[in-house]
Amino acid sequence: MSGLISGLLQNSRALGSHMDQVQTAGRNIANVNNPDYARQRVNVGSIGSLNTGSGTVSMGLSTLGVEQIRDAVLDGQIISEAMTSGSLEAQLKALKSIEVVISDSLGEKVDLDGLTGATTDGTSSTGLMNYVDDFFLSFEELAATPNLATQKQVVLQKTEMVAEQLNLADQRLDAISDGLDQQVTLDVSEANQILDEISDLNLRISQSEVGGAGQAHDLRNQRQSKLEELGDYVNFEVSNHPSNSSMLNVVATDTGGNDVVLLNGGLVNNPLTYNATSSSIQVGAPAVDLDISGGSIYGALSVKTGELADVRAELDSFAEQLVTSANSVYNVGGTGDLFDATGITAASIAVDSSVTVGNLRSTNNAAGGNEIAEGLANLRNTDFSVAGGDQIDGTFNDHLQKLNLQIGIDTNSVEQKLDSQTVLQSYLETQRENYSGVSLDEEVADLIRFQRSYEATARVVRVMDDMLETLVNTFT
Amino acid sequence: MRVSGNSYTNDLVNQLQKLNSDQIRYQKQISSGLRIGSVSDDPNAATQVQSLQSDQRVATSNRRNMDTADNMLSYVSNSVDFVRELSKSAISSASVLTGDSSVAERDNGVSHLNTVIEQALDTLNASFNDEYVFSAASVKTIPFDATRDVDGNVTAVSYMGSTTDEKSFSVGEGLTVNSSTDIEDNLQFESFLNGIIALRDSMIAGDDTAMSAAMAVVEDADDGITLGQSSLGSKQQRLIISRTLQDDRYEANQNSLAGLKEADITEAVVRFQQSQTAYQGALQAASQVMQLSLFDFV
């Protein structure tokens, strides 16, 4: 009799375990499309054994716990790669914008018919190089007709256009710089918001896992997802909270190499701030500069202080060289400048206000000539040297071409890195999906298995019940 | 290998995106006809394209200067031809007159020579493109200054243009052209005009010896003008040759440009079709696999 009762109890526990397995399979199936979800498994096993007179007897099957299938190494790698991807994406976006501003349009169509009449401009002017070419070539044509008012008008127009294009390029680059500042400000705000959310999740996980760490699976999934999201913006390390194994700390590094705890368990003690003047990310008071080396914040800042600053400096050098060398040819004997001598940056270059079509000079010789026009046209092929005291190396075209090429190569290089990065990240995500993701076929197979186990155990319970009934009826 | 439901769809989406991106790239190449649209597409090729485009702009500008030079040379040549005609007319009319000719005949001759002098001066002092083409480099200076007596007749002509610098300008790399007469030709015009003046004066004086001496000067100047005509013709010929070379180089550059930046449409169409076929295949395979699971058999 006692054997039958304990048998019934054991089998009812087994039925509970099968039910747990079915419920877990159902939860897995429900989350089949949730990218943050890691599949769960019910661990079942014997709850122990009992030594009886007839030997050692198992006390039956029971649920030992629910396990989440996660690979901490893969999770860590994915966070780390998110930082690289975020950085490359931000860099590519910014570099493409710079490329558009300074590159000549390669799609321009050169019209062969332009040659037959030699009156139609066969090239379209869409980039800085075109405008600079047009400027010098207009002087070459002025040398052929040095007194022709219409040609002087063309020259003045081309001179104004080259100055305006440099002004415009600088304005656009300035707008890109402002845009990057705004982007970083937004990203910093997003990163702080995510830090808040992770701190909240830390607290909730800690409260849910009073009975033991590692049980609040869904909250842990959400926290991992938030950490990956944070990696898109900024680089950091994750460490366990020293006194609460359910919580994580988020740690960054300052420029001196010291650890800075951004998130301490349930408390964001160092939110990020952006200092646009120094282009640095800071924490605390007094402010400490962080060593930013990943995420979109790093990508935007690296372009702002790197390529963008370089391009602006190169355009300023170009403008200064153009102003000084053109004026030195034009202003022989203090007869007046072609460009305003005070405007020696891309932002400030301008045609001297005294220059008009009526007084534009192609010569300083009252009897007539074209030496100024020829001298200015020849500047196009003049080789400058920084070592020799000039602002640029090579010709004006060489300088612009090098600038174009450098940005093109940088953009192309980042594009290729991003392609490789996308493949790597996709590979890691696939690896994690394959390990932690839900397979419908697997869950259905398990469901059938658990159903059959449940049916079999229920059949045993019925048999035992019948036996117990038989036994009880014997005494009635 | 264990495959989860999401990893299958993630892979599928990645592959479809790649095929989509390929299709868009080839479609852009087909519709624009261009292989590269920005420097980052192919930095090396783009740099070559920029250099060639710059060369083409220079070629277009040079070509305009060549046409300017050609127009100027044609104008100058026509002017010199006209002066030559005046010279022949002066020589012809003067050669039939002697000291024994009647007063009326000599008056007619003098009148004709005065007309020749005025017409030659008008022609040689005319401007083209706002510049005096017979002043060499001094294009703002009227080339021939006439001194006149009280009756308005020209008594002497002085050449005022540059005697040191020719007017020249660039029409190509290292190639300059003097689009007018040389300084020594201009000095021949001065000799010619002063010779005609001397001829006229000797005709008025009825001095046969002076007429012969003046006629010799005019004939020498006429020979010089003939040489000047020949020189102008040579300049025009050289310009035509340079222009042909320039046009050939321009077209060659244009072909190089096309090779560098233009897409091979046939290849682009084939590749587009390949990626489209792969895209369709991927969609079909995906729809077959995705609609099945063990659920369908339970």
Side-chain angles (χ1 to χ4, degrees), chain A residues 29 31-35 39 41 96 99 103-112 114-123 129-130 133-134 137 140-141 143-149 363 365-370 374 380 397 401 404-405 408-409 411-412 415 426 430 433-445 447-448, chain B residues 1-11 14 32-34 36-44 46-65 67-69 72 129-132 137-141 167-173 176 179 246-247 250-251 254 257 261-262 292-295 298:
Chain A
I29 290 168
N31 283 284
V32 67
N33 290 326
N34 180 356
R39 68 193 162 104
R41 280 285 169 268
K96 285 264 185 198
E99 191 186 15
S103 274
D104 280 25
S105 164
L106 299 172
E108 70 175 294
K109 290 282 188 189
V110 181
D111 182 10
L112 270 173
L115 280 183
T116 55
T119 50
T120 312
D121 193 350
T123 56
M129 242 171 100
N130 296 16
D133 270 344
D134 283 353
L137 293 172
E140 191 164 296
E141 289 170 34
T145 52
N147 293 336
L148 203 58
T363 177
N365 187 346
N370 61 4
E374 277 192 329
R380 182 177 177 276
N397 265 4
Q401 210 164 14
N404 270 331
L405 184 63
I409 287 174
T411 310
N412 182 271
E415 220 162 8
S426 163
T430 304
E433 266 302 324
N434 285 344
Y435 184 70
S436 304
V438 176
S439 162
L440 270 186
D441 294 340
E442 191 178 82
E443 298 304 329
V444 173
L447 204 59
I448 294 167
Chain B
M1 186 181 79
R2 181 179 184 280
V3 178
S4 73
N6 270 346
S7 72
Y8 181 77
T9 48
N10 287 348
D11 271 358
N14 286 341
S32 71
L34 295 172
I36 45 176
S38 64
V39 179
S40 57
D41 287 345
D42 185 347
N44 287 331
T47 310
Q48 291 179 55
V49 167
Q50 286 180 337
S51 290
L52 283 170
Q53 283 178 337
S54 182
D55 288 350
Q56 296 300 71
R57 287 192 286 272
V58 173
T60 309
S61 173
N62 285 336
R63 177 60 194 271
R64 278 199 286 265
N65 273 7
D67 285 356
T68 302
M72 278 186 166
N129 277 348
D130 282 349
E131 62 185 68
Y132 295 105
S138 302
V139 293
K140 287 183 180 172
T141 308
K167 187 226 165 180
S168 63
F169 54 88
S170 171
V171 289
E173 200 178 339
T176 57
S179 60
Q246 176 93 331
D247 289 358
Y250 187 94
E251 284 205 36
Q254 200 66 16
L257 265 174
K261 69 178 186 177
E262 289 184 11
L292 288 178
S293 85
L294 200 51
F295 267 126
V298 175

Side-chain angles (χ1 to χ4, degrees), chain A residues 236-250:
Chain A
F236 60 89
E237 296 281 337
V238 176
S239 62
N240 287 321
H241 190 277
S243 58
N244 186 334
S245 58
S246 295
M247 294 203 198
L248 293 177
N249 285 356
V250 173

Side-chain angles (χ1 to χ4, degrees), chain A residues 275-421:
Chain A
N275 184 332
T277 312
S278 61
S279 297
S280 57
I281 301 298
Q282 301 175 325
V283 290
V288 174
D289 284 355
L290 289 186
D291 179 19
I292 301 296
S293 60
S296 59
I297 293 174
Y298 169 73
L301 287 180
S302 73
V303 172
K304 185 195 166 195
T305 56
E307 288 88 347
L308 182 59
D310 290 347
V311 166
R312 296 188 78 176
E314 293 293 342
L315 280 185
D316 284 347
S317 301
F318 180 90
E320 185 171 357
Q321 188 64 61
L322 186 63
V323 170
T324 51
S325 50
N327 282 350
S328 72
V329 172
Y330 190 77
N331 188 2
V332 179
T335 46
D337 286 325
L338 179 64
F339 288 107
D340 178 355
T342 59
I344 53 168
T345 61
S348 61
I349 185 173
V351 177
D352 193 89
S353 56
S354 65
V355 178
T356 63
V357 174
N359 66 16
L360 185 76
R361 297 188 302 279
S362 48
T363 177
N364 270 331
N365 187 346
N370 61 4
E371 78 281 355
I372 288 181
E374 277 192 329
L376 278 159
N378 289 340
L379 280 179
R380 182 177 177 276
N381 298 318
T382 303
D383 263 319
F384 298 98
S385 157
V386 172
D390 295 321
Q391 300 300 317
I392 62 170
D393 276 321
T395 65
F396 285 111
N397 265 4
D398 288 345
H399 188 77
L400 287 182
Q401 210 164 14
K402 270 188 266 179
L403 204 57
N404 270 331
L405 184 63
Q406 193 53 54
I407 285 296
I409 287 174
D410 288 347
T411 310
N412 182 271
S413 161
V414 170
E415 220 162 8
Q416 286 183 2
K417 280 184 199 165
L418 187 59
D419 281 349
S420 310
Q421 182 62 27

Side-chain angles (χ1 to χ4, degrees), chain A residues 166-181:
Chain A
L166 280 164
N167 299 157
L168 196 60
D170 189 77
Q171 282 168 22
R172 287 174 175 160
L173 292 173
D174 195 45
I176 291 173
S177 180
D178 289 346
L180 288 173
D181 280 339

